[in-house]
Amino acid sequence: MQVHTVSFDDFSCANYYILGIHSTLEDYQLAYLLNSFLGINFKRSLNDIDFKNKTNEAYFPLYEYTDYNTDNDWFLISNIYKTNIKESNKGLFSENETRLYLIPEKKKVDYFLKLEGEFTRNQIDKTIEVINEISQVITSYNIDTNKLKSKEFLIF
């Protein structure tokens, strides 16, 4: 009997870039501003990115845009899921806010912008430059995907 193995590399898009965005904006506000500044049209996806493990369940908002002229896909993903957990026997302070991260090694990144397709280095640099012009964005930058331990969470 033949044995076939499947790795995450088989499912990942060969041509993609990940940009990290630091901002205190809500996801829908950032999507609106990116639409305005970049001339794109992010729309909320029908499905969030669901993450479940033994103890936690998280839903990360996902916005998507497809440029049909170039067949490039854009995805805006929140890195943070906040939830309040009620604990009994704690009295007045019975709720604790818990934060879960899509990419735990990048806890300081608020949002990821995943760009799939045939993007040139110049286009990536120009996109970062335009995002950094948004006054509500603290900073944005390219993330080396080879150094991400949890990059399989960005496969969707």
Side-chain angles (χ1 to χ4, degrees):
M1 176 195 294
Q2 286 185 337
V3 177
H4 297 281
T5 59
V6 178
S7 72
F8 286 115
D9 295 332
D10 295 337
F11 294 105
S12 65
C13 176
N15 296 323
Y16 74 96
Y17 300 90
I18 303 293
L19 306 182
I21 300 174
H22 296 260
S23 177
T24 58
L25 292 170
E26 294 292 329
D27 51 277
Y28 61 89
Q29 294 171 316
L30 181 59
Y32 174 80
L33 288 173
L34 290 174
N35 287 345
S36 299
F37 278 76
L38 293 171
I40 58 178
N41 191 18
F42 273 123
K43 292 187 179 183
R44 179 77 186 255
S45 175
L46 296 176
N47 301 313
D48 291 339
I49 297 177
D50 301 343
F51 178 79
K52 297 177 185 176
N53 63 18
K54 296 174 187 172
T55 58
N56 297 311
E57 197 172 291
Y59 305 97
F60 299 93
L62 174 65
Y63 292 80
E64 53 192 359
Y65 165 68
T66 300
D67 184 351
Y68 293 106
N69 295 326
T70 61
D71 286 331
N72 291 336
D73 294 316
W74 300 57
F75 301 96
L76 177 65
I77 312 114
S78 178
N79 189 38
I80 302 168
Y81 174 75
K82 297 177 192 174
T83 185
N84 290 326
I85 298 176
K86 277 194 166 198
E87 295 179 18
S88 59
N89 304 330
K90 290 285 184 176
L92 184 60
F93 303 103
S94 63
E95 283 192 13
N96 286 335
E97 181 179 88
T98 301
R99 290 177 178 229
L100 300 172
Y101 299 92
L102 183 64
I103 307 295
E105 63 266 25
K106 294 289 184 182
K107 289 183 178 179
K108 295 190 184 233
V109 175
D110 298 305
Y111 298 95
F112 292 106
L113 186 61
K114 181 180 178 184
L115 307 174
E116 290 182 357
E118 299 297 324
F119 287 91
T120 64
R121 185 73 210 154
N122 190 32
Q123 289 173 312
I124 298 298
D125 292 342
K126 182 67 176 164
T127 301
I128 292 170
E129 184 181 312
V130 171
I131 294 171
N132 284 333
E133 290 175 4
I134 301 172
S135 62
Q136 294 90 338
V137 170
I138 298 165
T139 190
S140 67
Y141 50 89
N142 192 20
I143 294 175
D144 185 1
T145 55
N146 295 323
K147 294 182 181 178
L148 286 179
K149 296 176 191 172
S150 307
K151 65 182 169 185
E152 66 269 8
F153 296 141
L154 295 171
I155 299 172
F156 44 84

